[in-house]
Amino acid sequence: MGRHVDDRSFKPIDRQRYRNKMQRGLDALARMLADGEFSFPHQQMGLEMELCLVDEHMQPSMNNAVVLEKISEAIFTTELGQQNIELNVEPRVLAGDSALRLEEGVRAALVRADGGAHDAGAKIAMIGALPTLQSLHFDPSTLTSNPRYSVLNDQIILARGEEMLLDMEGVPLADGGSERLRSYADSIAPESACTSVQLHLQVAPEDFAAHWNAAQCLAGVQVAIGANSPFLLGKALWHETRIPLFLQATDTRPTELRNQGVRPRVWFGERWITSIFDLFEENVRYFPALLPEPEEEDPVAALDNGRAPKLNELRLHNGTIWRWNRPVYDLVGGVPHLRIENRVLPAGPSVVDVVANAMFFYGAQRALTEQDRPLWTQMSFAAAEENFYAGARHGFDAHLYWPGSGWVTPDELVLRRLLPMAHEGLRACGVSDEARTRYLGVIEQRSLARQNGASWQRDVVAHLEADGADRHAALTTMLRRYIELADNGDPVHSWPVR
């Protein structure tokens, strides 16, 4: 979705041509996979993080254009909402001390960016869903002024044919009852409330299926221990409210199509795969193109002429299907490679937490791919999906299914099974002992404390309300304290609640 899209309407012939071009792209991809025409000199990781902007009163600051002008660094770009910016970290090898350098680089970049934001009257917040957002911030006028966002918004609303419905029932806060959110929006602006971290991992074509299946197995654990989005529009909802919010804010299906079982564009998937081709083929088979803008290149002809095709149609279409683990085909210097984009995690709370989440994922994923009997042969895909939604809803209080352990809480699963595996996996990736012990130590302490960003936010708000604050004041005070602690750099498991 980073590609420029013209601000125009589409005709029926555009969609027919686009479908044909995507099929040509699938034909070319199949040939490339069969012939092994992909680069894989060493395993590389990448990271993108979406960030929120707030003003001095902790309210959303709708001025990302001014902030980006003040920052003036190419690694910071726009995102969907005017209260958002995105940090794109340069890819790097996974081995050695790269994770330590990643932490240093991200922290330094955020300090510089925060200085630019300050000059624009704003402050950067690393959080999965900004708790002070209100319905007025979901007006179409709050979308970033960029043709690709307005065209995407128009096409999703056109496909749906009615307003977006945000409908969620929360997990009780303290001793109160569960809270319910039911709100309508006439644009995809609520998606801008979902600020996440995307982890990229370059993989060899023959290993892609194992890595993707492993990532799907881990998604429920990842979101449970990394949850950081417990509030939306003043309501205490899921521990990772970003998960149902993203689904509902971009849902092209009216109620009748949902009832028919039509697949959502924010999708966990429905089966284990044997090749990356399975995912791109599902994209073409199941989802109408939202941005049917074909380009001139014939991908099959490019292959015949000895060039790696750009596969622009497949790639743009893939960018409008928000799988939680997304396949990526990309070119660097005309040489193609494949990546998995893990989209499960929220932003924050601190930089060290973000890097720890990443290293836990990379290590556990690698270990799962090297088991003699793959975990996904012992576990139904439906169980992995149920784990994902249970982890998002309940965080550390979830009960997850794991072969050999039965039903287990995330902290127990991490401490007993997955942390030792993550250590093995990072060793196999060549990660230094210093980096491995630092970041997996953060995951260990977080699991022992059973405190992530979501539980900390919920506990602080509950205490403030018990002391007499109303919800708005409690959220504002909590967010101010959250940003101060995140800026200090300590991991969230060490943050005091009072």
Side-chain angles (χ1 to χ4, degrees):
M1 274 304 298
R3 197 183 105 188
H4 175 77
V5 176
D6 290 333
D7 188 2
R8 67 178 182 87
S9 58
F10 300 104
K11 300 179 176 64
I13 188 64
D14 294 325
R15 301 186 183 280
Q16 294 166 18
R17 289 183 59 213
Y18 202 81
R19 186 180 295 115
N20 292 339
K21 286 294 298 291
M22 287 197 293
Q23 189 58 56
R24 294 285 283 178
L26 285 177
D27 294 341
L29 179 61
R31 276 179 53 182
M32 296 174 72
L33 290 169
D35 295 342
E37 298 184 14
F38 289 92
S39 167
F40 189 65
H42 43 249
Q43 197 159 49
Q44 287 191 305
M45 63 174 174
L47 183 147
E48 302 169 72
M49 182 160 55
E50 297 155 356
L51 304 163
C52 296
L53 300 172
V54 296
D55 62 20
E56 61 181 331
H57 304 295
M58 297 293 105
Q59 300 304 301
S61 182
M62 299 292 178
N63 64 342
N64 62 357
V66 178
V67 168
L68 289 170
E69 183 179 352
K70 296 290 186 182
I71 296 172
S72 190
E73 290 189 48
I75 59 173
F76 289 95
T77 63
T78 60
E79 248 300 326
L80 180 68
Q82 292 182 34
Q83 81 274 20
N84 303 136
I85 60 174
E86 181 174 272
L87 167 62
N88 295 287
V89 177
E90 190 74 19
R92 62 195 68 206
V93 296
L94 180 56
D97 284 336
S98 283
L100 299 170
R101 305 290 84 78
L102 174 65
E103 181 187 351
E104 292 173 1
V106 170
R107 183 175 287 114
L110 289 174
V111 169
R112 295 194 306 270
D114 214 26
H118 180 268
D119 292 342
K123 173 74 180 169
I124 291 176
M126 269 191 307
I127 195 165
L130 194 63
T132 53
L133 282 165
Q134 302 173 50
S135 294
L136 62 90
H137 299 123
F138 292 160
D139 187 85
S141 64
T142 64
L143 294 175
T144 293
S145 179
N146 184 307
R148 79 171 188 249
Y149 299 131
S150 60
V151 173
L152 181 65
N153 175 72
D154 293 346
Q155 292 301 306
I156 289 178
I157 296 298
L158 180 65
R160 183 177 174 87
E162 60 189 46
E163 289 184 313
M164 297 295 180
L165 172 62
L166 308 180
D167 188 3
M168 303 161 219
E169 184 174 0
V171 178
L173 184 67
D175 296 327
S178 60
E179 299 176 23
R180 182 73 177 262
L181 172 67
R182 188 174 176 86
S183 178
Y184 288 91
D186 57 358
S187 75
I188 62 171
E191 183 194 340
S192 67
C194 305
T195 36
S196 63
V197 168
Q198 290 107 45
L199 303 176
H200 291 256
L201 183 68
Q202 185 178 349
V203 295
E206 62 272 18
D207 297 331
F208 186 94
H211 278 84
W212 189 85
N213 290 340
Q216 293 289 94
C217 291
L218 288 169
V221 185
Q222 278 184 278
V223 74
I225 68 171
N228 195 29
S229 314
F231 295 99
L232 180 67
L233 299 184
K235 304 288 188 181
L237 300 172
W238 293 26
H239 282 240
E240 192 49 42
T241 302
R242 202 181 101 260
I243 301 302
L245 175 59
F246 202 172
L247 168 63
Q248 294 178 16
T250 57
D251 200 347
T252 57
R253 308 166 304 162
T255 302
E256 294 80 6
L257 291 185
R258 288 201 304 274
N259 293 339
Q260 291 176 38
V262 172
R263 296 162 180 84
R265 298 188 85 97
V266 174
W267 197 30
F268 188 79
E270 61 191 16
R271 62 185 176 117
W272 307 119
I273 65 168
T274 59
S275 167
I276 189 174
F277 187 84
D278 296 345
L279 301 177
F280 280 106
E281 186 181 39
E282 286 179 348
N283 288 356
V284 175
R285 183 190 307 150
Y286 296 143
F287 299 100
L290 287 178
L291 305 171
E293 205 168 49
E295 299 202 2
E296 292 302 318
E297 180 192 68
D298 182 334
V300 175
L303 271 183
D304 291 340
N305 291 326
R307 300 194 319 272
K310 296 177 182 177
L311 302 185
N312 283 323
E313 291 80 13
L314 279 183
R315 292 163 68 192
L316 181 59
H317 187 52
N318 187 49
T320 65
I321 299 160
W322 294 276
R323 294 177 185 269
W324 294 108
N325 284 294
R326 177 190 275 168
V328 177
Y329 169 96
D330 207 352
L331 296 169
V332 176
V335 180
H337 69 266
L338 303 177
R339 302 195 304 270
I340 290 175
E341 181 188 18
N342 178 260
R343 305 170 55 81
V344 167
L345 292 165
S350 68
V351 173
V352 68
D353 283 309
V354 169
V355 180
N357 288 341
M359 300 313 291
F360 172 74
F361 170 69
Y362 291 138
Q365 182 190 41
R366 174 66 178 265
L368 286 177
T369 65
E370 296 187 344
Q371 288 184 320
D372 292 335
R373 185 184 174 193
L375 186 73
W376 48 95
T377 66
Q378 309 168 55
M379 180 182 188
S380 72
F381 194 88
E385 184 175 18
E386 289 171 9
N387 283 349
F388 178 62
Y389 288 109
R393 183 174 177 81
H394 298 287
F396 273 117
D397 295 327
H399 285 83
L400 311 177
Y401 175 76
W402 200 260
S405 297
W407 293 96
V408 62
T409 57
D411 52 305
E412 183 178 351
L413 179 58
V414 168
L415 293 169
R416 292 179 179 271
R417 298 288 296 274
L418 294 180
L419 263 182
M421 291 174 62
H423 278 283
E424 292 174 11
L426 291 183
R427 287 192 195 98
C429 291
V431 174
S432 71
D433 289 345
E434 182 182 359
R436 176 177 53 80
T437 55
R438 172 171 173 74
Y439 299 115
L440 295 187
V442 169
I443 298 298
E444 179 181 26
Q445 292 304 310
R446 189 192 303 165
S447 298
L448 288 169
R450 301 184 87 247
Q451 178 168 292
N452 55 23
S455 60
W456 182 88
Q457 290 184 57
R458 287 168 57 89
D459 287 347
V460 170
V461 168
H463 283 304
L464 289 169
E465 290 183 340
D467 291 341
D470 63 20
R471 177 59 56 85
H472 174 77
L475 290 174
T476 301
T477 301
M478 179 274 291
L479 180 58
R480 193 181 303 277
R481 191 181 304 172
Y482 174 103
I483 293 174
E484 290 172 355
L485 290 166
D487 285 350
N488 288 341
D490 294 327
V492 70
H493 69 260
S494 66
W495 291 8
V497 171
R498 285 186 176 271

